[in-house]
Structures are given as structure tokens and as C-alpha cells.
Coordinates of all heavy atoms in Angstrom, one line a residue:
G1 N -2.0 -94.6 6.9 CA -2.6 -96.0 6.8 C -2.1 -96.8 5.6 O -1.1 -96.4 5.0
E2 N -2.9 -97.7 5.2 CA -2.5 -98.7 4.1 C -2.5 -98.0 2.7 O -1.8 -98.6 1.8 CB -3.4 -99.9 4.1 CG -4.9 -99.5 3.8 CD -5.8 -100.7 4.1 OE1 -6.0 -101.0 5.3 OE2 -6.5 -101.2 3.2
S3 N -3.2 -96.9 2.5 CA -3.2 -96.3 1.2 C -3.2 -94.8 1.3 O -3.4 -94.2 2.5 CB -4.5 -96.7 0.4 OG -5.6 -96.3 1.1
E4 N -3.0 -94.1 0.2 CA -3.0 -92.6 0.2 C -4.5 -92.1 0.3 O -5.4 -92.8 -0.2 CB -2.4 -92.1 -1.1 CG -0.9 -92.3 -1.2 CD -0.1 -91.6 -0.2 OE1 -0.5 -90.4 0.0 OE2 0.8 -92.1 0.3
T5 N -4.6 -91.0 1.0 CA -6.0 -90.4 1.0 C -6.3 -89.7 -0.3 O -5.4 -89.3 -1.0 CB -6.0 -89.3 2.1 OG1 -5.1 -88.3 1.9 CG2 -5.8 -89.9 3.5
S6 N -7.6 -89.6 -0.6 CA -8.0 -88.9 -1.9 C -9.2 -88.0 -1.5 O -10.0 -88.4 -0.7 CB -8.4 -89.9 -2.9 OG -7.3 -90.8 -3.3
E7 N -9.2 -86.9 -2.2 CA -10.3 -85.9 -2.0 C -11.2 -85.8 -3.3 O -10.6 -85.7 -4.4 CB -9.8 -84.5 -1.6 CG -9.1 -84.5 -0.2 CD -8.7 -83.1 0.2 OE1 -8.4 -82.3 -0.8 OE2 -8.6 -82.8 1.4
F8 N -12.5 -85.8 -3.1 CA -13.4 -85.7 -4.2 C -14.4 -84.6 -3.9 O -14.5 -84.1 -2.8 CB -14.2 -87.0 -4.4 CG -13.4 -88.2 -4.5 CD1 -13.3 -89.2 -3.5 CD2 -12.6 -88.4 -5.6 CE1 -12.5 -90.3 -3.5 CE2 -11.8 -89.6 -5.7 CZ -11.7 -90.5 -4.7
Y9 N -15.1 -84.1 -5.0 CA -16.2 -83.1 -4.8 C -17.5 -83.8 -5.1 O -17.5 -84.6 -6.1 CB -16.0 -82.0 -5.8 CG -17.2 -81.1 -5.9 CD1 -17.3 -80.0 -5.0 CD2 -18.2 -81.3 -6.8 CE1 -18.4 -79.1 -5.1 CE2 -19.3 -80.5 -6.8 CZ -19.4 -79.4 -6.0 OH -20.5 -78.6 -6.0
M10 N -18.5 -83.5 -4.4 CA -19.8 -84.1 -4.7 C -20.9 -83.1 -4.2 O -20.9 -82.6 -3.1 CB -20.0 -85.5 -4.0 CG -21.2 -86.2 -4.5 SD -21.3 -87.9 -3.9 CE -19.8 -88.6 -4.7
S11 N -21.9 -83.0 -5.0 CA -23.1 -82.2 -4.6 C -24.4 -82.8 -5.2 O -24.3 -83.5 -6.2 CB -23.0 -80.7 -5.0 OG -22.9 -80.6 -6.4
V12 N -25.5 -82.5 -4.5 CA -26.8 -82.9 -5.0 C -27.6 -81.6 -5.1 O -27.7 -80.8 -4.2 CB -27.5 -83.9 -4.1 CG1 -28.8 -84.4 -4.8 CG2 -26.6 -85.1 -3.8
L13 N -28.2 -81.3 -6.3 CA -28.9 -80.1 -6.5 C -29.9 -80.3 -7.6 O -30.0 -81.4 -8.3 CB -27.9 -79.0 -6.8 CG -27.2 -79.0 -8.2 CD1 -26.7 -77.6 -8.5 CD2 -26.0 -80.0 -8.1
L14 N -30.7 -79.3 -7.9 CA -31.7 -79.3 -8.9 C -31.1 -78.8 -10.2 O -30.6 -77.7 -10.3 CB -32.9 -78.5 -8.6 CG -34.0 -78.4 -9.6 CD1 -34.7 -79.7 -9.9 CD2 -35.1 -77.4 -9.2
N15 N -31.2 -79.6 -11.3 CA -30.8 -79.1 -12.6 C -32.1 -78.4 -13.2 O -33.0 -79.0 -13.6 CB -30.5 -80.3 -13.5 CG -30.0 -79.8 -14.9 OD1 -30.3 -78.7 -15.3 ND2 -29.4 -80.7 -15.6
R16 N -32.0 -77.0 -13.2 CA -33.2 -76.3 -13.5 C -33.6 -76.4 -15.0 O -34.7 -76.2 -15.4 CB -33.0 -74.8 -13.2 CG -32.8 -74.6 -11.7 CD -32.7 -73.1 -11.3 NE -32.5 -73.0 -9.9 CZ -33.5 -73.0 -8.9 NH1 -34.7 -73.2 -9.3 NH2 -33.2 -72.9 -7.7
S17 N -32.6 -76.7 -15.9 CA -32.9 -76.8 -17.3 C -33.7 -78.1 -17.6 O -34.6 -78.1 -18.5 CB -31.6 -76.8 -18.1 OG -30.8 -77.9 -17.8
S18 N -33.5 -79.1 -16.8 CA -34.2 -80.4 -17.1 C -35.3 -80.6 -16.0 O -36.2 -81.5 -16.2 CB -33.3 -81.6 -17.0 OG -32.7 -81.7 -15.7
G19 N -35.3 -79.9 -14.9 CA -36.3 -80.1 -13.9 C -36.1 -81.3 -13.1 O -37.0 -81.8 -12.4
R20 N -34.8 -81.9 -13.1 CA -34.5 -83.1 -12.3 C -33.4 -82.9 -11.3 O -32.5 -82.0 -11.6 CB -34.1 -84.2 -13.3 CG -35.3 -84.7 -14.2 CD -34.8 -85.8 -15.1 NE -35.9 -86.4 -15.8 CZ -35.9 -87.6 -16.5 NH1 -34.7 -88.2 -16.5 NH2 -36.9 -88.0 -17.1
N21 N -33.4 -83.6 -10.3 CA -32.3 -83.6 -9.3 C -31.1 -84.2 -10.0 O -31.2 -85.1 -10.9 CB -32.6 -84.4 -8.1 CG -33.7 -83.7 -7.2 OD1 -33.7 -82.5 -7.2 ND2 -34.5 -84.4 -6.5
M22 N -29.9 -83.8 -9.6 CA -28.7 -84.2 -10.2 C -27.6 -84.3 -9.2 O -27.5 -83.5 -8.3 CB -28.3 -83.1 -11.3 CG -27.0 -83.3 -11.9 SD -26.7 -82.0 -13.2 CE -26.3 -80.6 -12.1
I23 N -26.8 -85.3 -9.4 CA -25.5 -85.5 -8.6 C -24.4 -85.0 -9.4 O -24.2 -85.4 -10.6 CB -25.3 -86.9 -8.2 CG1 -26.4 -87.4 -7.3 CG2 -24.0 -87.1 -7.4 CD1 -26.3 -88.9 -6.9
M24 N -23.7 -84.0 -8.9 CA -22.5 -83.5 -9.6 C -21.3 -83.9 -8.8 O -21.2 -83.8 -7.6 CB -22.6 -81.9 -9.7 CG -21.4 -81.3 -10.5 SD -21.4 -79.5 -10.4 CE -22.9 -79.2 -11.3
Y25 N -20.2 -84.4 -9.5 CA -19.1 -84.9 -8.8 C -17.8 -84.8 -9.6 O -17.9 -84.7 -10.8 CB -19.3 -86.4 -8.3 CG -19.6 -87.4 -9.4 CD1 -18.6 -88.2 -9.9 CD2 -20.9 -87.4 -10.1 CE1 -18.9 -89.2 -10.9 CE2 -21.1 -88.3 -11.1 CZ -20.1 -89.2 -11.5 OH -20.3 -90.1 -12.5
S26 N -16.7 -84.8 -8.9 CA -15.4 -84.7 -9.6 C -14.3 -85.3 -8.7 O -14.4 -85.4 -7.5 CB -15.1 -83.2 -9.7 OG -13.8 -83.0 -10.3
T27 N -13.2 -85.7 -9.4 CA -12.1 -86.2 -8.7 C -11.3 -85.1 -8.1 O -10.4 -85.3 -7.3 CB -11.1 -86.9 -9.7 OG1 -10.9 -86.0 -10.8 CG2 -11.8 -88.2 -10.2
E28 N -11.6 -83.8 -8.5 CA -10.8 -82.7 -8.0 C -11.5 -82.1 -6.7 O -12.0 -81.0 -6.8 CB -10.7 -81.6 -9.1 CG -10.1 -82.1 -10.4 CD -8.8 -82.8 -10.2 OE1 -7.8 -82.0 -9.9 OE2 -8.7 -84.0 -10.4
G29 N -11.4 -82.8 -5.6 CA -12.0 -82.3 -4.4 C -11.1 -81.4 -3.7 O -9.9 -81.3 -3.9
G30 N -11.7 -80.5 -2.8 CA -10.9 -79.6 -2.0 C -10.5 -78.3 -2.7 O -9.9 -77.4 -2.2
M31 N -11.0 -78.2 -4.0 CA -10.7 -77.0 -4.8 C -12.1 -76.3 -5.0 O -13.1 -76.9 -4.8 CB -10.1 -77.4 -6.1 CG -8.8 -78.0 -6.1 SD -8.2 -78.5 -7.7 CE -8.2 -76.9 -8.6
D32 N -12.0 -75.1 -5.5 CA -13.2 -74.4 -5.9 C -13.7 -75.0 -7.1 O -13.1 -75.1 -8.2 CB -12.9 -72.9 -6.2 CG -12.5 -72.1 -5.0 OD1 -12.9 -72.5 -3.9 OD2 -11.7 -71.1 -5.2
I33 N -15.0 -75.5 -7.0 CA -15.6 -76.3 -8.2 C -15.7 -75.3 -9.4 O -15.7 -75.8 -10.5 CB -16.9 -76.9 -7.8 CG1 -17.3 -78.0 -8.8 CG2 -18.0 -75.9 -7.6 CD1 -16.4 -79.1 -8.9
E34 N -15.9 -74.0 -9.1 CA -16.0 -73.1 -10.2 C -14.7 -73.0 -11.0 O -14.7 -72.9 -12.3 CB -16.3 -71.7 -9.7 CG -17.7 -71.5 -9.1 CD -17.7 -71.9 -7.6 OE1 -16.6 -72.3 -7.1 OE2 -18.8 -71.9 -7.0
T35 N -13.5 -73.1 -10.3 CA -12.2 -73.2 -11.0 C -12.1 -74.4 -11.8 O -11.6 -74.4 -13.0 CB -11.1 -73.0 -10.0 OG1 -11.3 -71.9 -9.2 CG2 -9.7 -73.0 -10.6
V36 N -12.5 -75.5 -11.3 CA -12.4 -76.8 -12.0 C -13.3 -76.8 -13.2 O -12.9 -77.2 -14.3 CB -12.9 -78.0 -11.1 CG1 -12.9 -79.3 -11.8 CG2 -12.1 -78.1 -9.8
A37 N -14.5 -76.2 -13.1 CA -15.4 -76.1 -14.3 C -14.8 -75.2 -15.4 O -15.0 -75.5 -16.6 CB -16.7 -75.5 -13.8
E38 N -14.1 -74.2 -15.0 CA -13.5 -73.3 -16.0 C -12.3 -73.8 -16.6 O -12.1 -73.7 -17.8 CB -13.2 -72.0 -15.2 CG -12.7 -70.9 -16.2 CD -12.4 -69.6 -15.5 OE1 -13.0 -69.3 -14.4 OE2 -11.6 -68.7 -16.0
E39 N -11.4 -74.5 -15.8 CA -10.1 -74.9 -16.3 C -10.1 -76.3 -16.8 O -9.4 -76.6 -17.8 CB -9.0 -74.7 -15.3 CG -8.9 -73.2 -14.9 CD -7.9 -73.0 -13.7 OE1 -7.3 -74.0 -13.3 OE2 -7.6 -71.8 -13.3
T40 N -10.8 -77.2 -16.1 CA -10.8 -78.6 -16.5 C -12.2 -79.2 -16.5 O -12.5 -80.1 -15.6 CB -9.9 -79.5 -15.6 OG1 -10.3 -79.2 -14.2 CG2 -8.4 -79.1 -15.8
P41 N -13.1 -78.7 -17.4 CA -14.5 -79.1 -17.3 C -14.7 -80.6 -17.5 O -15.7 -81.2 -17.1 CB -15.1 -78.3 -18.4 CG -14.0 -77.9 -19.3 CD -12.8 -77.8 -18.4
H42 N -13.8 -81.3 -18.2 CA -13.9 -82.7 -18.4 C -13.8 -83.6 -17.2 O -14.1 -84.8 -17.2 CB -12.8 -83.2 -19.5 CG -11.4 -83.0 -19.0 ND1 -10.8 -81.8 -19.0 CD2 -10.5 -83.9 -18.5 CE1 -9.6 -81.9 -18.5 NE2 -9.4 -83.1 -18.2
L43 N -13.3 -82.9 -16.1 CA -13.2 -83.6 -14.8 C -14.4 -83.5 -13.9 O -14.4 -84.0 -12.8 CB -12.0 -83.1 -14.0 CG -10.6 -83.3 -14.7 CD1 -9.5 -82.7 -13.9 CD2 -10.4 -84.8 -14.9
I44 N -15.5 -82.9 -14.4 CA -16.7 -82.8 -13.7 C -17.8 -83.8 -14.4 O -18.0 -83.7 -15.6 CB -17.3 -81.4 -13.7 CG1 -16.3 -80.5 -12.9 CG2 -18.7 -81.3 -13.1 CD1 -16.8 -79.0 -12.8
F45 N -18.4 -84.6 -13.6 CA -19.4 -85.6 -14.0 C -20.7 -85.2 -13.4 O -20.8 -84.6 -12.3 CB -19.0 -87.0 -13.6 CG -17.6 -87.4 -14.1 CD1 -16.5 -87.2 -13.3 CD2 -17.5 -88.1 -15.3 CE1 -15.2 -87.6 -13.7 CE2 -16.2 -88.5 -15.7 CZ -15.1 -88.3 -15.0

């Protein structure tokens, strides 16, 4: 189509340390999020 496709990661879960729900997301979609967290943690928001 008119632009390139892009893949992202997104999850909604409970942050147990704060007791609040949290949206976790990253530009590095389609990969193991554990690998992203280990190798490029600055890419996880």
C-alpha cells in the first residue's frame, strides 16, 4: 500500500509493585519482549 507496515508490542497488565494497571508497549513488535527487555530496555515504555 501507500506506506511500509510496522509492528509494535503492547500489553495491559497489573503492576504488582504499585498495585495499578499498566500499559507496556514497544516499537519492537513481533519479537520476544523478554529479549527486548534484556538487550534494549530503553525501547520499552
